[in-house]
Amino acid sequence: MTFTKWNFTMSVLGIVIYVADIAADIWVTSNYFCEGQYSLGILTLVFRLLSSIIVQIFSYEWFKDDCGSPDPGKLNWIFLLHFLHGGIFTRYWFALKDGYQAAFKQNSSGDKLTGGPASIIHKCAIDAGTDISMLRVFKTFLETTPQLILQIYILMEHDKAAFSQYASIITSFSSISWSTLDYQISLRKSVPDKNQFSGVPPKLIYLLYKLFTLTSWILSIALVTLLNIISSIFLLIFLWTLGFSWTLKQHTTFCKSKRMEFLYRTVVGIILIFTFFNVKGEKTKMYISSYYATHVLVTLGIMCVCLFWKTSVTEQLYFTFVSITIVLTLGLGIICLIVYYTVFHPTIYFRQESASDEVDGLTGERKKEEISRIRNFIME
């Protein structure tokens, strides 16, 4: 488990994208209020606030779990930072501090680093980065993706947009793409007995698979919303119900408390509206096939409804462009999905190392204890 200079650079890039995403949302929201579009401004703020609250809750609970029996004064300061919605920035501070020590100071100090042995420092940096990646996945599908659908809907509804809206759409797509890829990389790096997600081809194919399938689905939902908002709301509620029910059926054990586990399953239900991931680290061939087969059928159903539902929307020039983009990205996404799982999945692309070479000096029970939270959230 080695935290490299490249990993540190990616951590810096991650916080830059995170800040840029926040700045774009503030920019768009301020424009809405200045133009008198208060409902759109409030809706944008609601997405941001609700997702931030949920992310802060998970982050604070993880701090408590990781600290064991922390100093009350320190815990109060951590609670205050999360109450002020600074939990992610707090985690970035620890991640960059440990990451810099692991990536740069080891070169000049050999096997020993300031603050502890090299292996411990590297593990702290990797675990900190993985927790941030997990929280970014929550934020991506709780706030960034709904925000993106809203901005695309507004763009098509008014047939014009300010530069700030285009900036918000671009940063949202960048944030979504980055979070899905970065999470997969960080996750496999933090689990010793998993093949590493390394090499350019697997990363590129995985990124394209996620980007294309998400683009197709996001545009489809935006199109349904444009045709009929009520139908879109019912579709999203129905899909969330299916995802939440599947999560209940899986008997997930991600959190230590029942209330946090319920919140986790609720969040998973929302994420499953947009993309697939494995909540228990089990084989996913049957689940992922069923999931994307359903996505294809629903998307084709939406396109058929649009073609036979003669409204002013279908007569617009952008409708043709959006429809072609939906079909094209869906096809490319499914192709990349098949290529990834048949050629570039880590279990196929790389030979798994022996268990004795993966973790030195840890018993089986200790290994299970240290990576339990991560293992219960392994994506496909």
Side-chain angles (χ1 to χ4, degrees):
M1 300 177 68
T2 304
F3 192 88
T4 64
K5 294 180 181 179
W6 173 255
N7 297 136
F8 181 82
T9 303
M10 292 298 99
S11 297
V12 174
L13 180 60
I15 192 171
V16 170
I17 294 176
Y18 181 78
V19 173
D21 189 33
I22 295 176
D25 286 343
I26 295 174
W27 188 11
V28 170
T29 304
S30 62
N31 284 345
Y32 285 148
F33 282 110
C34 290
E35 295 171 1
Q37 298 177 318
Y38 300 112
S39 58
L40 295 179
I42 292 173
L43 189 58
T44 303
L45 285 178
V46 167
F47 281 138
R48 164 64 64 179
L49 184 61
L50 287 179
S51 67
S52 182
I53 290 174
I54 293 174
V55 167
Q56 303 304 319
I57 291 174
F58 276 107
S59 178
Y60 177 69
E61 289 293 327
W62 295 350
F63 263 119
K64 289 200 304 181
D65 293 342
D66 295 340
C67 291
S69 300
D71 175 61
K74 180 180 178 181
L75 193 59
N76 289 337
W77 275 110
I78 292 176
F79 174 80
L80 179 61
L81 289 171
H82 284 78
F83 181 78
L84 297 175
H85 293 258
I88 294 293
F89 292 104
T90 303
R91 287 186 172 275
Y92 264 117
W93 163 254
F94 287 114
L96 293 177
K97 179 172 67 71
D98 292 337
Y100 177 79
Q101 192 176 16
F104 293 95
K105 290 193 175 183
Q106 184 178 11
N107 293 334
S108 58
S109 57
D111 293 334
K112 293 186 178 180
L113 299 174
T114 304
S119 59
I120 297 178
I121 298 298
H122 279 275
K123 186 180 186 307
C124 289
I126 291 171
D127 289 346
T130 303
D131 282 346
I132 291 174
S133 297
M134 296 169 73
L135 292 172
R136 270 209 306 262
V137 168
F138 289 163
K139 175 192 173 296
T140 293
F141 294 104
L142 290 174
E143 185 265 328
T144 307
T145 306
Q147 194 83 273
L148 179 58
I149 294 173
L150 175 63
Q151 299 304 326
I152 294 175
Y153 164 77
I154 295 171
L155 182 63
M156 293 191 296
E157 174 68 20
H158 298 284
D159 204 17
K160 61 179 181 179
F163 179 75
S164 60
Q165 288 176 270
Y166 288 112
S168 177
I169 291 174
I170 292 173
T171 55
S172 294
F173 266 118
S174 300
S175 179
I176 293 171
S177 303
W178 174 257
S179 65
T180 54
L181 177 62
D182 177 64
Y183 177 76
Q184 188 66 215
I185 296 172
S186 299
L187 178 64
R188 288 190 170 273
K189 192 176 185 65
S190 64
V191 182
D193 61 346
K194 286 289 178 180
N195 291 320
Q196 295 298 300
F197 196 70
S198 57
V200 175
K203 294 175 184 176
L204 180 60
I205 295 299
Y206 184 87
L207 176 64
L208 292 176
Y209 139 56
K210 284 293 184 181
L211 181 60
F212 285 142
T213 53
L214 281 167
T215 299
S216 175
W217 188 237
I218 287 170
L219 290 176
S220 298
I221 295 176
L223 200 57
V224 173
T225 306
L226 195 63
L227 291 173
N228 191 286
I229 295 178
I230 302 300
S231 299
S232 177
I233 293 175
F234 274 110
L235 174 63
L236 294 176
I237 293 176
F238 175 71
L239 293 175
W240 174 82
T241 303
L242 291 179
F244 181 73
S245 300
W246 180 72
T247 308
L248 290 177
K249 186 175 181 297
Q250 293 296 302
H251 301 290
T252 58
T253 56
F254 180 68
C255 302
K256 293 184 177 181
S257 66
K258 290 184 178 180
R259 59 182 179 84
M260 288 302 300
E261 188 66 28
F262 179 82
L263 179 61
Y264 164 71
R265 293 173 178 177
T266 303
V267 172
V268 167
I270 296 174
I271 298 175
L272 284 170
I273 294 175
F274 304 106
T275 192
F276 175 83
F277 67 95
N278 184 7
V279 297
K280 293 194 70 176
E282 298 173 346
K283 292 184 178 180
T284 60
K285 184 177 180 180
M286 181 182 68
Y287 295 130
I288 199 170
S289 300
S290 301
Y291 181 87
Y292 282 107
T294 303
H295 258 229
V296 170
L297 292 176
V298 174
T299 301
L300 293 178
I302 291 173
M303 299 305 302
C304 290
V305 169
C306 291
L307 291 175
F308 291 101
W309 193 343
K310 301 297 182 181
T311 65
S312 58
V313 174
T314 58
E315 297 172 357
Q316 298 296 323
L317 179 61
Y318 64 78
F319 176 78
T320 302
F321 172 76
V322 171
S323 300
I324 293 174
T325 303
I326 289 174
V327 175
L328 185 61
T329 53
L330 177 62
L332 291 174
I334 297 300
I335 291 173
C336 290
L337 168 67
I338 295 172
V339 171
Y340 172 73
Y341 276 99
T342 55
V343 180
F344 292 110
H345 193 275
T347 57
I348 300 173
Y349 194 66
F350 295 99
R351 180 179 298 177
Q352 188 171 8
E353 298 179 357
S354 63
S356 60
D357 294 331
E358 289 162 352
V359 182
D360 294 328
L362 295 177
T363 63
E365 290 299 319
R366 180 59 176 165
K367 286 188 291 184
K368 182 178 180 180
E369 178 185 352
E370 290 188 358
I371 63 176
S372 59
R373 179 168 73 218
I374 300 170
R375 182 176 297 281
N376 288 334
F377 201 76
I378 292 180
M379 295 178 72
E380 72 275 19

